[in-house]
């Protein structure tokens, strides 16, 4: 392997594509464009996956969903909050 080789083929294009996607999502979910509405709060990961599957089947855009994961400790179990962005 050559230590002074350039970036991997396609890496720059992939980075530009991912960055453009992040900018589009940020613009779509910007303050004033709408709000995040909590759809589900659970500590059951299977229930979360089932609800995500139903949203996917309903055609909800993956960029318009958000999962917040509160990590539990010894006395409290982990919890999940699924939110969906609703336009104004």
């Amino acid at each position: 392997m050559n230590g002074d080789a350039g970036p991997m083929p396609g890496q720059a294009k992939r980075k530009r594509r991912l960055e453009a996607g992040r900018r589009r999502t940020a613009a779509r979910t910007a303050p004033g464009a709408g709000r995040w509405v909590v759809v589900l709060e659970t500590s059951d990961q299977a229930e979360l996956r089932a609800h995500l599957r139903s949203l996917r089947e309903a055609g909800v855009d993956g960029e318009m969903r958000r999962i917040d994961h509160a990590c539990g400790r010894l006395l409290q179990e982990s919890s999940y909050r699924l939110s969906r962005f609703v336009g104004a």
Side-chain angles (χ1 to χ4, degrees), residues 9-58:
Q11 186 176 11
K13 182 179 178 181
R14 184 173 43 256
K15 283 184 178 182
R16 283 193 304 271
R17 182 175 36 89
L18 291 172
E19 182 57 34
R22 282 191 284 271
R23 281 194 303 270
R24 276 193 308 276
T25 300
R28 290 172 67 187
T29 60
R35 59 191 173 92
W36 289 99
V37 175
V38 176
V39 177
L40 174 73
E41 288 191 63
T42 185
S43 59
D44 183 12
Q45 198 173 34
E47 183 181 6
L48 174 69
R49 284 193 305 265
H51 205 82
L52 283 169
R53 191 177 314 111
S54 69
L55 287 175
R56 198 175 315 117
E57 290 169 356

Side-chain angles (χ1 to χ4, degrees), residues 47-78:
E47 183 181 6
L48 174 69
R49 284 193 305 265
H51 205 82
L52 283 169
R53 191 177 314 111
S54 69
L55 287 175
R56 198 175 315 117
E57 290 169 356
V60 175
D61 185 4
E63 294 179 348
M64 304 309 274
R65 297 183 311 232
R66 181 178 75 193
I67 300 172
D68 298 313
H69 179 210
C71 296
R73 298 281 187 232
L74 295 175
L75 300 175
Q76 184 178 2
E77 59 185 16
S78 295

